[in-house]
Amino acid sequence: MMVTIGDVAKAAGVSRSTASYALSGKRSISDAVRLRVNEAVKTLQYTPNAGARSLATSQTKVIGLLAQFLDDEFAPAMLQYILGVSNTARELGYDILLVTDADGTSALRRISDSRMIDGIVLLNVAENDPRLDHLRAAQQPGALVGLPKDCDGLDVFDLDFEEAGRTMVDHLHRLGHRELILISQPQHVIDRGGAYVWRLQNAALAAAEARNITLHTVFAPSSQPAVGDALNELLDAHPTATGLLINNEAAAAALPSVLHERGLSTPKDLSVLGRYSDEFARTFSLPFSSIESAPDRLGSMAVRQLVRRIEGEIGPEEPNVVRFVTPDLIDRGSTAPPR
């Protein structure tokens, strides 16, 4: 039979309301009473009834996470952001409703209008994202991981991709490199609004021009074997380039085997600097230095801000925030002065 709050109260020797307050923390309860209630919860394996809690508090303790596994993006990289959101939500006492519908606008409308969730986190944010108008109109607060063109009325968190591009070029410039290749996401990522690609690329181009560096910019596929073929073609096309900058996780994952097949090593023959998370590097055993993309940190920042709004720590009149994570360079020994 289902254990109720009444069963917990009886086992702890307190009233039903006292047991409820001890669990919710909404009223001051003595440590001794709280301990008895918690012991009763563990003994009886009590789980609060979500429906009853929702009726009593107008909260579901569920956060909607809208993410899409797009063909033009590398799925393992997207999972890093999802884990950052879900791990922090669990820490704060919230469950995640993961929604991956292709029609993100309809999905957002469905979960917000039905009051299934207390707040919403958006991933795969496009420059002119069609979901944003409905998010602004929703009764629940929302947070974005990714920078749209118009941030009005939204809490936004993203990596400083412009600074990442400058940092990548500056690092190799200080080592003496004067011809580089930048490998970005596929062209259609930009076409559908992936502004982070051109944000990094434009900043890298400007930095290269200011430092008299030749920077070849290319868009590579995000799946095998096409990305491996593209890497070989690039290295053949630019044999005098001494450094490789990678803003494409699939290309970074494919590069070790390509270099091995060509008999090349880093940093002896080619300096390599990528843009991905440390966890991603460990997962794929990547030996390349990289700009930390911080997906777990960005997801955590978005959820913490969202929960503060849900729980009233931040009032509806408080201004929204746009915050960038400063890129950190993790040195794994794959860059050196050119030969």
Side-chain angles (χ1 to χ4, degrees), residues 154-197:
L154 303 166
D155 289 322
V156 177
F157 303 88
D158 204 1
L159 178 70
D160 189 337
F161 280 93
E162 287 89 348
E163 184 62 24
R166 288 189 290 267
T167 299
M168 295 170 88
V169 171
D170 286 348
H171 178 71
L172 291 187
H173 175 260
R174 285 193 296 270
L175 292 173
H177 294 265
R178 295 300 178 264
E179 185 178 359
L180 308 173
I181 304 170
L182 170 60
I183 302 176
S184 297
Q185 303 284 353
Q187 174 68 50
H188 46 271
V189 173
I190 293 182
D191 295 341
R192 67 169 178 78
Y196 70 94
V197 179

Side-chain angles (χ1 to χ4, degrees), residues 59-64 94-97 116-119 310:
Q59 289 188 355
T60 64
K61 302 295 285 187
V62 176
I63 291 173
Y94 285 76
D95 292 319
I96 288 292
L97 174 62
M116 299 168 63
I117 42 85
D118 295 331
I310 291 170

Side-chain angles (χ1 to χ4, degrees), residues 99-137:
V99 182
T100 60
D101 297 36
D103 187 347
T105 301
S106 295
L108 194 155
R109 183 180 298 112
R110 183 180 70 251
I111 65 171
S112 61
D113 291 354
S114 63
R115 308 294 180 88
M116 299 168 63
I117 42 85
D118 295 331
I120 300 164
V121 174
L122 295 190
L123 302 181
N124 310 97
V125 176
E127 185 178 15
N128 295 297
D129 200 303
R131 300 171 295 179
L132 300 187
D133 285 342
H134 188 81
L135 183 59
R136 291 186 179 97

Side-chain angles (χ1 to χ4, degrees), residues 28-38:
S28 178
I29 301 295
S30 71
D31 291 341
V33 169
R34 193 182 304 277
L35 179 61
R36 294 208 309 272
V37 171
N38 288 335

Side-chain angles (χ1 to χ4, degrees), residues 29-308:
I29 301 295
S30 71
D31 291 341
V33 169
R34 193 182 304 277
L35 179 61
R36 294 208 309 272
V37 171
N38 288 335
E39 288 176 347
V41 166
K42 293 178 182 178
T43 300
L44 298 175
Q45 297 183 332
Y46 169 70
T47 300
N49 183 286
R53 177 178 59 200
S54 179
L55 289 172
T57 66
S58 299
Q59 289 188 355
T60 64
K61 302 295 285 187
V62 176
I63 291 173
L65 172 59
L66 272 70
Q68 297 176 8
F69 290 93
L70 301 166
D71 292 339
D72 57 20
E73 291 185 329
F74 198 44
M78 174 55 62
L79 285 171
Q80 297 290 316
Y81 291 89
I82 292 174
L83 286 173
V85 171
S86 60
N87 288 343
T88 303
R90 183 174 60 250
E91 174 191 335
L92 298 178
Y94 285 76
D95 292 319
I96 288 292
L97 174 62
L98 176 61
V99 182
T100 60
D101 297 36
D103 187 347
T105 301
S106 295
L108 194 155
R109 183 180 298 112
R110 183 180 70 251
I111 65 171
S112 61
D113 291 354
S114 63
R115 308 294 180 88
M116 299 168 63
I117 42 85
D118 295 331
I120 300 164
V121 174
L122 295 190
L123 302 181
N124 310 97
V125 176
E127 185 178 15
N128 295 297
D129 200 303
R131 300 171 295 179
L132 300 187
D133 285 342
H134 188 81
L135 183 59
R136 291 186 179 97
Q139 295 196 23
Q140 303 92 337
L144 279 57
V145 177
L147 179 70
K149 183 176 182 179
D150 181 7
C151 299
D152 185 53
L154 303 166
D155 289 322
V156 177
F157 303 88
D158 204 1
L159 178 70
D160 189 337
F161 280 93
E162 287 89 348
E163 184 62 24
R166 288 189 290 267
T167 299
M168 295 170 88
V169 171
D170 286 348
H171 178 71
L172 291 187
H173 175 260
R174 285 193 296 270
L175 292 173
H177 294 265
R178 295 300 178 264
E179 185 178 359
L180 308 173
I181 304 170
L182 170 60
I183 302 176
S184 297
Q185 303 284 353
Q187 174 68 50
H188 46 271
V189 173
I190 293 182
D191 295 341
R192 67 169 178 78
Y196 70 94
V197 179
W198 62 254
R199 286 166 54 202
L200 187 149
Q201 178 175 289
N202 287 357
L205 282 167
E209 182 179 5
R211 290 151 184 76
N212 199 28
I213 291 175
T214 299
L215 178 61
H216 308 285
T217 60
V218 293
F219 304 103
S222 57
S223 61
Q224 285 280 26
V227 66
D229 295 338
L231 287 170
N232 276 304
E233 291 173 5
L234 288 170
L235 294 174
D236 289 338
H238 305 289
T240 57
T242 57
L244 192 60
L245 310 179
I246 305 177
N247 186 27
N248 179 322
E249 289 91 349
L255 185 60
S257 61
V258 170
L259 293 179
H260 178 73
E261 290 169 2
R262 298 176 71 98
L264 301 176
S265 64
T266 59
K268 177 182 175 184
D269 302 301
L270 189 70
S271 286
V272 176
L273 181 58
R275 193 277 309 162
Y276 43 77
S277 72
D278 187 51
E279 180 64 26
F280 185 88
R282 288 197 297 270
T283 299
F284 287 91
S285 300
L286 298 182
F288 311 126
S289 300
S290 64
I291 298 295
E292 172 60 52
S293 58
D296 51 347
R297 182 179 173 189
L298 287 167
S300 178
M301 290 169 67
V303 171
R304 291 184 188 282
Q305 177 76 356
L306 184 63
V307 169
R308 284 194 288 268

